[in-house]
Amino acid sequence: YYIVPYLVVGSGSVRKSIIIYVLGDLGHSPRICYHARSFSSKGFQVELCGYVDSDLPEFILNDNNITVHALERRYAIKGGIICMAKKVVSQVGGIIRHLWELRGSDYILIQNPPSIPILPIVAIYRLITGTKLIIDWHNLAYSILRLKYHGNTFHPLVLISILIELIFSHMADYNLTVTEAMKEFLVNRFWVRSKRCYVLYDRPATQFRPFNSDKTEKTTPEQDLEERQEFICTE
């Protein structure tokens, strides 16, 4: 009666909540930040997790529904697979700690790539807690890794990456893609159910406005820069 709720739910809020996790710099992940703002506008408590290497947008910092959880940055020293494995182990520890603290959330949304190590972790987390999993597909992790190894699809790390994306993509409740071509790839190559895939195009946020096309007089570069700063508001 006491132990099971503590393990699965913890001290989670009774409000609708979502964990948004990215193994990247949150300040340079505008799509993820816009996801956070969108869920916040719908009344969700948003737990935004990732690296904080640069300044976050004001609309994230000033939103009472969004809590930022910084993941400690560990840089892999050049030295081959062993150093890369140490970095992955460190990431795994940080991710598990966050997920344990935030257990009881209704949804978890991750960005792919990277898929290692976060995708298997959140897939298992979904099975244990019943949290619904959303994967936002920006690209394919294995195709990026393959470039590192000069197009060698049969490199062990590339094969592992393919298997991870292929297997665990089927455990997602919803798959978001940035293009129609990405959706077709997931459906035709990874055999993900079409009803679980949705195309969510990148669009400019509301703070971006067009330049004044009626202006005919010549301007200096300094004046042009001032005009750009006036018409483009970076919250």
Side-chain angles (χ1 to χ4, degrees):
Y1 182 81
Y2 291 102
I3 295 177
V4 172
Y6 174 75
L7 293 176
V8 177
V9 179
S11 58
S13 171
V14 295
R15 295 176 53 192
K16 294 184 298 181
S17 60
I18 181 170
I19 304 170
I20 299 180
Y21 218 116
V22 55
L23 289 184
D25 181 19
L26 294 174
H28 289 88
S29 302
R31 183 175 169 97
I32 290 298
C33 290
Y34 293 149
H35 282 324
R37 182 167 64 175
S38 296
F39 277 100
S40 172
S41 67
K42 297 299 181 181
F44 278 77
Q45 174 61 41
V46 180
E47 310 293 348
L48 185 58
C49 307
Y51 297 116
V52 183
D53 296 332
S54 58
D55 294 335
L56 293 171
E58 291 295 329
F59 64 81
I60 294 293
L61 298 175
N62 297 332
D63 195 323
N64 294 328
N65 291 334
I66 300 176
T67 303
V68 177
H69 304 268
L71 181 63
E72 184 179 357
R73 173 72 77 175
R74 296 291 179 91
Y75 294 96
I77 303 174
K78 293 182 179 179
I81 296 178
I82 294 178
C83 290
M84 184 180 296
K86 289 182 179 180
K87 178 183 177 181
V88 170
V89 170
S90 174
Q91 287 180 333
V92 168
I95 295 169
I96 292 177
R97 175 175 58 84
H98 278 159
L99 296 182
W100 169 254
E101 294 173 352
L102 302 175
R103 63 194 184 282
S105 297
D106 299 285
Y107 297 87
I108 179 168
L109 184 152
I110 66 167
Q111 173 183 294
N112 189 82
S115 58
I116 301 174
I118 190 169
L119 184 52
I121 294 174
V122 297
I124 296 172
Y125 182 78
R126 171 188 177 274
L127 290 177
I128 295 175
T129 65
T131 302
K132 291 186 177 181
L133 173 59
I134 307 171
I135 302 178
D136 189 16
W137 295 83
H138 290 211
N139 208 321
L140 297 165
Y142 86 84
S143 64
I144 296 176
L145 191 61
R146 183 173 57 187
L147 294 176
K148 181 178 179 180
Y149 295 104
H150 311 290
N152 183 9
T153 304
F154 299 100
H155 189 281
L157 292 180
V158 177
L159 292 175
I160 291 172
S161 183
I162 292 174
L163 289 175
I164 286 176
E165 288 185 298
L166 176 62
I167 294 171
F168 292 105
S169 60
H170 291 268
M171 301 184 68
D173 296 278
Y174 307 100
N175 293 277
L176 307 178
T177 64
V178 294
T179 63
E180 190 69 38
M182 177 65 74
K183 176 182 177 180
E184 292 178 1
F185 181 93
L186 294 178
V187 173
N188 298 328
R189 300 290 185 88
F190 280 5
W191 307 295
V192 174
R193 292 175 57 186
S194 179
K195 292 183 178 179
R196 292 188 176 184
C197 287
Y198 302 88
V199 179
L200 191 63
Y201 294 108
D202 281 332
R203 300 184 184 279
T206 55
Q207 70 263 28
F208 291 98
R209 293 180 294 169
F211 293 123
N212 184 1
S213 59
D214 296 332
K215 190 172 182 179
T216 56
E217 61 182 16
K218 294 182 179 180
T219 59
T220 64
E222 292 77 12
Q223 291 173 328
D224 183 61
L225 176 60
E226 291 180 358
E227 182 178 339
R228 289 172 181 267
Q229 293 173 342
E230 178 184 353
F231 280 93
I232 300 180
C233 304
T234 55
E235 295 183 352

